[in-house]
Amino acid sequence: MSKPVYGKNAAQSRNVEKTASPIWALVVAFILFLCWAPFQVGLFNGQQLDFEKPIYVSALVSGLLLLVCVGLYYKKFKLDEQRDLVASASILLPLTYALSLFVAVSHYMAMNMLFIQSMYVAVFIIAFYLLKQKQVNVVIQNAILAIAYFIVGFGLLNWLGSNKLAGALVGWFSNTVRNNIYLDAVMKDSNGLRLTSIFQYANTYAAFLMAFLFVAIFALIRSKKWYGTLTHSFMLVPIIVSILLTLSRGGLVLLPVVFILLLMFLKPAQQILWILHLGIAGIASLLITTPVTNLGLELNTNFTSSGALKGWGYLIGASMAVAVVSWVIQRFVAPWLEKKLSNWSSRKLTGLWIPLGSVALVGIVAFLLIGTSAKNILPSNMATRLENINFQQHSVLERITFYKDAMKVVKDYPILGAGGGGWSSLYEHYQNNPYTSRQVHNFFLQYLIEVGILGFIVFMGFILYIFYKYIRGYVKRDKNDFENGFFYLIIALSILVHSLLDFNMSYAFMGILVFLGLAGMAVVMDSKKLRKNWNKAGLRLGYFAVLTVGTVFLLFLSISYIGSSNAALKGKNLIGVSTSYEEIKKPLTEALKTRPGHPESVLYLSSLDLQVFKQNQDEQFLNEAYSVLTRALEDEPYNKNILAQLVSYYDLKGQSDLAYGVYRDNADKFNWDIDWYETLISRSFALGQLALNQKDEIKKQEYFDAALEAHEHVLAGVEHLKTLPPEQLQGRPFSVTPTIALNIAKIQQISGQAEAATATLKLGFNENYADIINTGTLWDMNWYDALISRSYELTEQARAGQDDAGKLLNLKIGLQAYNQVVGDHETFTPSIALNAGRIQLMSGQLQNAIETLKLGLSDDYTNATNREIARWYLATLKKSNNEDQTIYDKLIAADPAEAAQIEAIANSQF
């Protein structure tokens, strides 16, 4: 490693070389791409329509830039050195994703990952050739820093309430700005407000900030100009404060880890300077964090100019103070340290002592901020987050569970993997408990799942070779800090280390930074000459042919995907404003021409067809929906929403046995989805009861056995959840629901297991139904009457208290109880008809409600219950744009005040 220099020698070490104008044009285009990308939610691979278009546009732009790069450098291309071979080998990365397409469990998500990986390689190759030129290298480094600093300022603008100003700055090129506000740059969760900036995810923003905190320290130490030192040191406080405002425990845990790793690359004098600058900026940041936090909380609720100015006053004042102190250190202390420690630096292993000492220092700081009253310097929400950092904390235990479950996937998809998005599609099948996480929270495990052992070996071989050869070259210290690639090492290492605990690389912009960092390292890595036969014209032309053909193919593919995405978005937007079937259908059909398995387009179009069929009963629309759904399931067999839509199709066709088959055959894909198992059991019971009424004993037993088997699965799951550590959250609800209990108990009662039926009911129902469940006479008409009546009463209570979960729970109980009554009895009491009809109305089942209420009507309008049934019947008809004038006249004749009550019910929103 080169000896740090001060004064004029630094400038002399950067040899000025002429760079052609076309190359500068490529540099400008490349930098503009880097400016645009982060403000598209960091190019998040969200596996949804709203996130996909920027990814396809990025693939298109990076591909075009790569073709320009090939055109500019093809004459200079040689396979002389190992670094040249690394650039050539990078095309193996998207190739492994292309191979995984043959076994992908989701073609849609696998294609998205192919585009992303192709973009990464394009960025790597472009950067690799550009960064070889010293002038270009420095320009790109400065551009990256400028973009990062702007993102930091953008985040703080949002935190201090100036979200419209922040939105106006980027709204002209960002598709994430709505009503002049960048969506969710500050987000609220159970911990309170968290700063997320461009990413809409606090932990990834913390990873980004961590990387550029260390880059800023490195930049200020290497800078030989006073304005460079002041600029980079000025940004330290905003970056550290932003890290604290993310409330990211992972960021706080891994920050010292990465810091110590980076210190090991430096000479003792530089190590001390790093610690000094970070320590001073850290203290200043801690002093202002509480007021800045409190002001942000206030300003995001009620913006005031005075509050915003006060917040900026704290930030700018602390930043200026740190900048001045850092300039003094660099002007006077740094040369003195270098001189004093020059002899010590030449000794072996001397660079390890300060990093090892830093471990103790980190421990002391952590103890002070967690275990002593020093934590009071932090806002209460930050102090709480710090106190909760331990290995028994729920997020740690959940991640360990993710990792164990990930290895189950790898075991079943070992060689080529499950394709891009494999975890997102498969995790519900392999999960240990009912958590919801479409990300593994470990980039390397997610990569292993997607491309298997073969692709993982290629990827790890690629990055580890670059790191190994870079470190070997860096140890020689034969270049200054502008040329030694340490700038890029910091970026790549910081993001990759943090990605051990989170899904930062699901943000393609973070991946771009990593591959840009890897390219910067590859340019200066230790590189030996290759044998001459590597540089044969055939190999070189073959490489360029593969690269060019592959890039052109992906360009055309990305153009078609952009068109499909535009059409799908147009169709989605039309659904909310248009009533024309043909107008809505046209863009959705166009979207599916290119991507017949695109999940959201499939759901929109099939839903549209099913709705039209309900209106005109034309089988053509049913057939089209079926064709669209079955074709999509060829590419997306694990897509729960498409499977549910297929069930809706079968229900409309009157093929309840096939609808049941969808739930039965796909149950193991969603082992912890209680709604899936609840519906499976309900449908099993309904078909079994129908077979019972038809005296088909074999079919009855088949359906009842399927229900009992699903019930056993639920019971086993409930018992398994009891084995989870008490600190680990269970995830989604998973228990014997009242609906499950009602159906299974009825099966047990039919099978002559009265005691088991009673025990099952007690297991599934809460105390609100205890008196009904504990009554001595179960299953008769009066019992059902009381159960349905209670479910309606509790539904009304939940609706009044805006308890949506409670409302849904009690509606399900009433509906299922009524279904059993209808299956067992040809007639039932008016009270059951009234309450069941009201429950069906509240569930949105207007036609069923009309039929049920009409069954309960009599000609006696002096009876209060009959008038109430008539009132709800007429109101439900009115809601569905129908009427029954005869009943209306009879009711009004009995009580003229009923007209107003009918109107009130018809206008109610349930």
Side-chain angles (χ1 to χ4, degrees):
M1 297 188 227
S2 70
K3 200 173 182 178
V5 289
Y6 301 91
K8 296 180 180 178
N9 291 334
Q12 293 170 359
S13 68
R14 280 172 273 164
N15 297 322
V16 177
E17 56 185 28
K18 289 187 177 181
T19 303
S21 297
I23 292 176
W24 279 119
L26 177 60
V27 171
V28 171
F30 187 59
I31 291 172
L32 288 175
F33 171 63
L34 294 178
C35 292
W36 171 84
F39 293 94
Q40 320 305 317
V41 198
L43 297 179
F44 180 50
N45 182 21
Q47 303 156 355
Q48 294 176 11
L49 176 60
D50 291 337
F51 296 108
E52 65 183 26
K53 183 181 173 182
I55 291 173
Y56 304 147
V57 172
S58 298
L60 174 64
V61 172
S62 61
L64 289 172
L65 293 177
L66 179 57
L67 286 181
V68 173
C69 182
V70 169
L72 291 175
Y73 285 98
Y74 80 96
K75 288 184 179 179
K76 299 179 182 179
F77 175 73
K78 292 179 289 185
L79 284 171
D80 276 346
E81 300 180 56
Q82 291 172 334
R83 65 169 62 94
D84 299 322
L85 203 56
V86 167
S88 303
S90 65
I91 62 173
L92 294 175
L93 300 178
L95 182 60
T96 59
Y97 269 90
L99 286 174
S100 73
L101 277 169
F102 293 102
V103 293
V105 294
S106 170
H107 184 79
Y108 167 63
M109 288 188 264
M111 282 301 301
N112 285 355
M113 281 305 303
L114 178 61
F115 280 116
I116 289 170
Q117 289 295 318
S118 300
M119 175 176 60
Y120 289 163
V121 170
V123 167
F124 179 84
I125 294 172
I126 294 165
F128 178 79
Y129 286 103
L130 289 179
L131 296 178
K132 286 183 177 182
Q133 290 134 117
K134 296 171 186 176
Q135 283 183 311
V136 172
N137 196 323
V138 172
V139 167
I140 290 178
Q141 288 184 41
N142 288 332
I144 293 170
L145 275 169
I147 294 166
Y149 292 165
F150 181 81
I151 291 171
V152 173
F154 177 82
L156 289 170
L157 273 173
N158 282 280
W159 181 261
L160 292 174
S162 301
N163 46 17
K164 289 195 173 179
L165 172 59
L169 290 174
V170 301
W172 57 280
F173 67 88
S174 172
N175 68 348
T176 316
V177 175
R178 303 284 188 279
N179 298 320
N180 296 321
I181 295 174
Y182 190 96
L183 298 178
D184 297 325
V186 178
M187 291 186 71
K188 187 175 184 178
D189 64 11
S190 58
N191 304 292
L193 286 182
R194 301 179 69 179
L195 180 59
T196 63
S197 192
I198 61 170
F199 296 103
Q200 300 180 343
Y201 181 58
N203 291 348
T204 292
Y205 187 41
F208 174 85
L209 292 167
M210 178 177 73
F212 283 96
L213 171 64
F214 298 138
V215 169
I217 294 173
F218 171 71
L220 83 88
I221 290 174
R222 78 174 180 183
S223 179
K224 309 310 169 196
K225 303 291 186 181
W226 64 269
Y227 50 83
T229 301
L230 289 174
T231 300
H232 301 307
S233 55
F234 181 89
M235 290 304 301
L236 296 182
V237 169
I239 292 173
I240 295 172
V241 170
S242 296
I243 291 174
L244 294 171
L245 292 175
T246 65
L247 301 182
S248 172
R249 284 177 300 212
L252 294 175
V253 168
L254 291 174
L255 189 147
V257 173
V258 176
F259 181 66
I260 291 167
L261 286 174
L262 292 173
L263 286 183
M264 295 173 70
F265 286 85
L266 305 173
K267 286 185 175 183
Q270 292 174 309
Q271 291 172 348
I272 293 171
L273 289 173
W274 273 60
I275 293 170
L276 280 174
H277 289 300
L278 183 60
I280 292 166
I283 292 169
S285 300
L286 288 174
L287 291 174
I288 68 167
T289 294
T290 296
V292 170
T293 298
N294 293 335
L295 283 166
L297 297 175
E298 294 172 10
L299 291 166
N300 275 274
T301 303
N302 182 28
F303 178 79
T304 61
S305 298
S306 59
L309 289 172
K310 189 176 181 181
W312 284 109
Y314 281 117
L315 281 167
I316 293 172
S319 299
M320 289 179 66
V322 169
V324 171
V325 173
S326 292
W327 179 83
V328 170
I329 290 172
Q330 285 303 112
R331 179 68 177 84
F332 301 104
V333 179
W336 178 81
L337 272 176
E338 181 64 30
K339 183 178 179 181
K340 286 291 182 182
L341 298 178
S342 58
N343 292 331
W344 191 33
S345 300
S346 61
R347 299 175 188 173
K348 287 186 177 181
L349 302 179
T350 53
L352 293 178
W353 290 111
I354 293 176
L356 290 174
S358 299
V359 174
L361 181 61
V362 167
I364 292 169
V365 172
F367 172 74
L368 290 173
L369 290 176
I370 297 174
T372 72
S373 58
K375 67 184 178 184
N376 294 332
I377 196 173
L378 296 172
S380 58
N381 57 348
M382 288 184 194
T384 301
R385 294 285 284 176
L386 284 173
E387 287 173 353
N388 290 335
I389 294 176
N390 61 76
F391 289 110
Q392 288 301 307
Q393 201 270 334
H394 73 86
S395 65
V396 175
L397 294 171
E398 286 162 7
R399 277 170 168 77
I400 293 171
T401 300
F402 298 162
Y403 304 158
K404 289 179 180 178
D405 292 344
M407 294 312 298
K408 297 176 191 174
V409 183
V410 174
K411 184 178 178 182
D412 284 353
Y413 297 85
I415 307 301
L416 295 179
W423 169 263
S424 180
S425 297
L426 294 170
Y427 83 92
E428 287 195 73
H429 174 64
Y430 291 95
Q431 63 186 164
N432 177 70
N433 53 282
Y435 55 78
T436 300
S437 179
R438 292 168 67 85
Q439 308 284 347
V440 186
H441 287 262
N442 182 300
F443 163 66
F444 298 96
L445 276 176
Q446 192 152 320
Y447 201 100
L448 176 60
I449 288 170
E450 292 179 344
V451 294
I453 295 171
L454 177 64
F456 189 70
I457 288 172
V458 171
F459 173 71
M460 291 305 296
F462 177 76
I463 65 168
L464 289 177
Y465 184 76
I466 291 175
F467 270 93
Y468 168 70
K469 297 293 284 185
Y470 171 79
I471 292 170
R472 285 198 60 173
Y474 186 83
V475 168
K476 297 176 182 178
R477 285 186 180 267
D478 57 355
K479 296 186 187 311
N480 67 38
D481 284 342
F482 284 91
E483 301 167 20
N484 64 10
F486 196 64
F487 177 97
Y488 300 105
L489 170 80
I490 296 171
I491 295 173
L493 182 66
S494 300
I495 295 173
L496 287 173
V497 168
H498 195 281
S499 296
L500 288 167
L501 294 180
D502 232 311
F503 54 92
N504 308 313
M505 296 289 281
S506 291
Y507 291 84
F509 176 65
M510 295 292 274
I512 288 171
L513 291 176
V514 167
F515 277 83
L516 185 53
L518 291 171
M521 293 162 62
V523 166
V524 296
M525 73 183 197
D526 179 48
S527 181
K528 295 180 180 178
K529 289 282 186 180
L530 297 171
R531 286 180 297 180
K532 288 185 179 180
N533 55 358
W534 277 104
N535 201 33
K536 288 181 179 178
L539 278 176
R540 287 187 282 114
L541 291 174
Y543 167 70
F544 268 111
V546 171
L547 185 63
T548 303
V549 171
T551 302
V552 170
F553 173 75
L554 283 168
L555 284 178
F556 282 106
L557 197 60
S558 60
I559 290 169
S560 67
Y561 269 55
I562 290 169
S564 174
S565 184
N566 284 333
L569 282 167
K570 181 180 179 181
K572 177 183 177 181
N573 294 332
L574 282 172
I575 288 172
V577 296
S578 176
T579 57
S580 168
Y581 170 78
E582 291 298 336
E583 184 182 16
I584 299 171
K585 178 185 175 180
K586 184 178 179 181
L588 294 175
T589 305
E590 184 182 337
L592 290 173
K593 283 181 182 177
T594 302
R595 301 181 292 172
H598 184 249
E600 287 175 75
S601 298
V602 167
L603 291 170
Y604 290 138
L605 182 56
S606 59
S607 177
L608 185 67
D609 283 329
L610 296 181
Q611 287 176 31
V612 173
F613 170 77
K614 289 177 185 177
Q615 295 169 8
N616 62 18
Q617 298 298 303
D618 187 339
E619 290 276 339
Q620 170 193 340
F621 298 99
L622 268 186
N623 294 336
E624 180 177 72
Y626 179 74
S627 175
V628 168
L629 289 168
T630 51
R631 172 61 186 87
L633 284 170
E634 293 176 15
D635 290 341
E636 309 294 327
Y638 286 83
N639 191 296
K640 191 188 298 184
N641 293 325
I642 296 178
L643 289 168
Q645 194 83 301
L646 183 61
V647 168
S648 298
Y649 161 80
Y650 285 133
D651 284 339
L652 287 174
K653 285 279 286 185
Q655 298 173 326
S656 54
D657 54 334
L658 293 178
Y660 153 78
V662 173
Y663 277 97
R664 179 200 60 208
D665 297 340
N666 293 282
D668 70 321
K669 295 177 181 176
F670 316 109
N671 280 316
W672 291 98
D673 186 338
I674 196 62
D675 292 331
W676 192 275
Y677 277 87
E678 183 180 80
T679 306
L680 171 60
I681 290 169
S682 294
R683 287 179 176 270
S684 299
F685 170 76
L687 290 169
Q689 190 176 45
L690 181 63
L692 176 66
N693 294 337
Q694 295 171 347
K695 302 188 185 310
D696 187 339
E697 187 65 25
I698 295 175
K699 279 289 184 184
K700 180 209 81 171
Q701 201 56 48
E702 177 188 330
Y703 290 125
F704 281 2
D705 285 347
L708 292 169
E709 183 182 345
H711 178 238
E712 287 300 318
H713 173 88
V714 174
L715 290 176
V718 171
E719 289 303 309
H720 172 73
L721 291 176
K722 294 176 182 177
T723 67
L724 293 178
E727 298 85 1
Q728 183 171 351
L729 300 180
Q730 170 183 309
R732 304 188 307 276
F734 192 86
S735 63
V736 177
T737 67
T739 304
I740 290 176
L742 197 57
N743 285 312
I744 295 299
K746 185 63 176 176
I747 291 172
Q748 291 167 332
Q749 185 260 339
I750 292 171
S751 304
Q753 304 172 30
E755 291 185 6
T758 302
T760 299
L761 287 173
K762 290 179 179 179
L763 181 63
F765 281 81
N766 60 30
E767 64 278 2
N768 292 324
Y769 293 89
D771 57 324
I772 297 174
I773 301 303
N774 291 323
T775 186
T777 54
L778 300 174
W779 312 112
D780 63 14
M781 189 70 72
N782 290 331
W783 184 79
Y784 278 115
D785 194 345
L787 182 61
I788 295 170
S789 176
R790 181 67 54 81
S791 71
Y792 171 70
E793 292 169 6
L794 293 172
T795 296
E796 282 287 23
Q797 289 179 20
R799 190 165 74 92
Q802 297 184 332
D803 177 7
D804 291 338
K807 174 186 166 186
L808 180 61
L809 174 72
N810 292 294
L811 283 174
K812 283 184 176 181
I813 293 171
L815 290 171
Q816 191 57 47
Y818 177 67
N819 289 339
Q820 290 188 5
V821 171
V822 173
D824 278 350
H825 306 279
E826 292 183 3
T827 60
F828 42 83
T829 65
S831 176
I832 287 179
L834 172 61
N835 289 314
R838 292 192 290 199
I839 287 170
Q840 288 170 328
L841 171 60
M842 291 180 177
S843 302
Q845 301 176 19
L846 295 183
Q847 191 56 44
N848 290 340
I850 291 168
E851 294 171 2
T852 300
L853 289 163
K854 191 171 185 179
L855 287 172
L857 279 172
S858 71
D859 289 329
D860 184 6
Y861 288 90
T862 62
N863 181 281
T865 299
N866 192 56
R867 289 200 304 275
E868 192 169 7
I869 294 173
R871 180 193 314 149
W872 281 84
Y873 166 69
L874 293 167
T876 308
L877 281 172
K878 190 174 181 67
K879 269 186 172 292
S880 60
N881 298 317
N882 291 302
E883 61 180 17
D884 187 329
Q885 194 63 42
T886 303
I887 300 296
Y888 181 83
D889 291 342
K890 290 179 181 180
L891 180 62
I892 299 304
D895 183 359
E898 289 287 351
Q901 296 190 57
I902 293 170
E903 194 67 28
I905 295 170
N907 292 330
S908 296
Q909 297 296 321
F910 297 110

